Amino acid sequence: ETGVTQTPRHLVMGMTNKKSLKCEQHLGHNAMYWYKQSAKKPLELMFVYSLEERVENNSVPSRFSPECPNSSHLFLHLHTLQPEDSALYLCASSQELGLNQPQHFGDGTRLSIL
Amino acid sequence: AQSVTQLGSHVSVSEGALVLLRCNYSSSVPPYLFWYVQYPNQGLQLLLKYTTGATLVKGINGFEAEFKKSETSFHLTKPSAHMSDAAEYFCAVSETSGTYKYIFGTGTRLKVLA
């Protein structure tokens, strides 16, 4: 399998639930990213990891908790989310962390908070 | 700080007609610029990028973009639209403050009429 794979593709959860989003990249990249995509808003960068170390936390609420156990896997742990957290969550990776590095995206997880 | 403006949230063209999607950026230093496409229920896919060198950049699926420093623009064009080009298109500029961020525009949804 190639590219960036995200699971699940769809997730519906209540505000008191705990769930996790998974991202796996098969490209041999060293940097990974989480983005939030909401309707009519630009993509919002949430977290950046380089070689399994978090290098960016873009003022994301603590109810979102990322984990990068190795350079191929990235998780986003969710707990006590709010309705405004409903969105498409995209994972991306790039060869290295750098300004001219194109990012490769997964197909996203569509999250709905009841 | 960098910013990106995409003029027109929706653009409609006839099949076979010229596609022109506009992107203007603000940056105090030479930027890195990208165009991404997002098909329904999918993640973003890189169309093309400008880093340095030739200002006319060719990408996949017959798209190209020209970096015009004097106009701070990076408009995306395709000579002849195809039905399969219907998608949402995002322009992005890389943040140059050392935080390795992309700044995305709000996107332009392209509709191709038969």
Side-chain angles (χ1 to χ4, degrees), chain A residues 9 33 35 37 41-43 45 56 58 88 90 97-103 105-107, chain B residues 32 34 36 38 41-44 46 49 51 90 94-96 99-102 104-106:
Chain A
R9 292 295 312 275
Y33 312 78
Y35 287 89
Q37 186 177 29
K41 293 175 70 174
L43 263 69
L45 179 65
E56 180 81 22
N58 201 26
L88 181 67
L90 292 166
L97 201 63
L99 297 175
N100 64 346
Q101 293 286 315
Q103 295 179 13
F105 286 79
D107 288 339
Chain B
Y32 297 121
F34 306 82
Y36 284 84
Q38 186 176 32
N41 301 313
Q42 294 185 26
L44 279 68
L46 180 69
K49 67 174 182 177
T51 53
F90 294 90
S94 57
E95 173 68 51
T96 55
T99 57
Y100 309 106
K101 289 182 186 178
Y102 279 18
F104 282 89
T106 51

Side-chain angles (χ1 to χ4, degrees), chain A residues 83-102:
Chain A
E84 61 266 28
D85 297 324
S86 297
L88 181 67
Y89 288 84
L90 292 166
C91 174
S93 68
S94 62
Q95 183 65 55
E96 304 290 345
L97 201 63
L99 297 175
N100 64 346
Q101 293 286 315

Side-chain angles (χ1 to χ4, degrees), chain A residues 6-102:
Chain A
Q6 290 186 243
T7 55
R9 292 295 312 275
H10 302 272
L11 179 62
V12 180
M13 58 187 286
M15 288 191 285
T16 58
N17 291 157
K18 290 185 179 181
K19 295 286 185 183
S20 296
L21 310 185
K22 179 183 176 182
C23 175
E24 184 174 2
Q25 58 97 359
H26 305 271
L27 300 168
H29 289 172
N30 292 320
M32 296 187 78
Y33 312 78
W34 278 117
Y35 287 89
K36 177 184 180 182
Q37 186 177 29
S38 305
K40 299 188 186 342
K41 293 175 70 174
L43 263 69
E44 301 172 52
L45 179 65
M46 301 175 72
F47 300 103
V48 180
Y49 277 83
S50 177
L51 296 172
E52 300 140 51
E53 180 181 344
R54 190 191 311 179
V55 297
E56 180 81 22
N57 177 346
N58 201 26
S59 302
V60 179
S62 59
R63 58 185 182 269
F64 294 91
S65 175
E67 179 190 2
C68 188
N70 54 63
S71 59
S72 298
H73 294 86
L74 186 64
F75 295 89
L76 188 62
H77 303 301
L78 318 170
H79 65 98
T80 58
L81 295 191
Q82 303 299 309
E84 61 266 28
D85 297 324
S86 297
L88 181 67
Y89 288 84
L90 292 166
C91 174
S93 68
S94 62
Q95 183 65 55
E96 304 290 345
L97 201 63
L99 297 175
N100 64 346
Q101 293 286 315

Side-chain angles (χ1 to χ4, degrees), chain B residues 7-81:
Chain B
L7 291 175
S9 58
H10 292 81
V11 170
S12 294
V13 300
S14 298
E15 191 174 19
L18 171 72
V19 176
L20 171 61
L21 305 181
R22 300 178 186 274
C23 174
N24 288 88
Y25 67 91
S26 68
S27 175
S28 58
V29 297
Y32 297 121
L33 295 158
F34 306 82
W35 274 100
Y36 284 84
V37 60
Q38 186 176 32
Y39 298 102
N41 301 313
Q42 294 185 26
L44 279 68
Q45 179 183 359
L46 180 69
L47 273 178
L48 48 80
K49 67 174 182 177
Y50 169 79
T51 53
T52 58
T55 56
L56 182 62
V57 180
K58 294 186 184 299
I60 62 172
N61 301 339
F63 284 93
E64 61 183 36
E66 186 171 12
F67 170 59
K68 292 188 176 180
K69 184 179 178 181
S70 61
E71 299 177 8
T72 60
S73 69
F74 191 57
H75 300 331
L76 182 70
T77 61
K78 181 174 180 178
S80 177

